[in-house]
């Protein structure tokens, strides 16, 4: 906002820094630089960085778009068929109100849409991690049952 970074050129520069960040580290560096130079960021600035972080995390999960309205997040995937069935199962166990329609994945929520998006993305990340751990466990060779003499 104008009251936080008064110089328009500087506001534009930092906005471009935020928008051009391609990973969480670069985004964090941009936020740290702004706060180092201008002090504690107001809510609008923190929200902008949170939303950019969510976009990055969503993109890494194959999420193309998240639209929050009417107490529901409507989630579109780049290729919904690329999401393993086990991930859908794990996500639906964690958030029983969520469901899949022909067009999108629906995540009902109460309260703040940004916080709901964070919870939804965290749930998908946890499901993928759980699936990875399950696959890893299957790949490990079984321990020998033989007793040493």
């Amino acid at each position: 906002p104008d009251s936080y970074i008064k110089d328009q050129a500087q506001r534009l520069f930092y906005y471009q820094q935020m928008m051009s960040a391609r990973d969480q580290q670069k985004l964090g560096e941009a936020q740290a630089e702004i706060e180092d130079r201008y002090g504690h960021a107001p809510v609008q600035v923190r929200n902008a960085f949170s939303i950019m972080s969510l976009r990055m995390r969503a993109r890494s999960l194959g999420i193309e778009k998240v639209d929050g309205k009417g107490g529901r997040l409507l989630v579109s995937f780049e290729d919904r068929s690329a999401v393993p069935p086990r991930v859908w199962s794990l996500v639906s166990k964690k958030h029983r109100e969520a469901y899949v329609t022909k067009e999108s994945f629906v995540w009902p929520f109460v309260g703040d849409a940004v916080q709901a998006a964070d919870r939804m993305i965290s749930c998908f990340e946890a499901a993928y991690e759980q699936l990875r751990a399950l696959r890893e466990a299957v790949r490990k060779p079984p321990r020998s049952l033989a007793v040493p003499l």
Side-chain angles (χ1 to χ4, degrees), residues 80-100:
R80 201 164 66 185
S81 65
V83 178
R86 184 71 177 146
V87 168
W88 293 115
S89 174
L90 292 168
V91 168
S92 68
K93 284 181 183 177
K94 297 233 186 228
H95 191 70
R96 295 205 180 274
E97 297 84 20
Y99 57 95
V100 178

Side-chain angles (χ1 to χ4, degrees), residues 9-28:
Q10 284 296 301
R11 272 195 318 275
L12 181 58
F13 171 78
Y14 285 115
Y15 179 76
Q16 289 172 333
Q17 289 287 312
M18 180 181 71
M19 295 302 288
S20 66
R22 294 292 171 233
D23 59 40
Q24 296 289 340
Q25 181 179 344
K26 292 288 184 195
L27 186 64

Side-chain angles (χ1 to χ4, degrees), residues 40-104:
H40 185 71
V43 171
Q44 302 95 315
V45 174
R46 290 193 311 271
N47 283 346
F49 277 100
S50 292
I51 290 168
M52 281 303 299
S53 176
L54 288 173
R55 284 182 179 170
M56 287 178 190
R57 291 170 56 206
R59 195 175 307 124
S60 73
L61 294 167
I63 296 173
E64 185 174 47
K65 180 181 175 186
V66 177
D67 191 14
K69 57 183 165 186
R72 296 183 299 178
L73 297 177
L74 304 175
V75 184
S76 302
F77 287 82
E78 293 168 10
D79 179 7
R80 201 164 66 185
S81 65
V83 178
R86 184 71 177 146
V87 168
W88 293 115
S89 174
L90 292 168
V91 168
S92 68
K93 284 181 183 177
K94 297 233 186 228
H95 191 70
R96 295 205 180 274
E97 297 84 20
Y99 57 95
V100 178
T101 68
K102 187 176 178 182
E103 296 83 28
S104 59

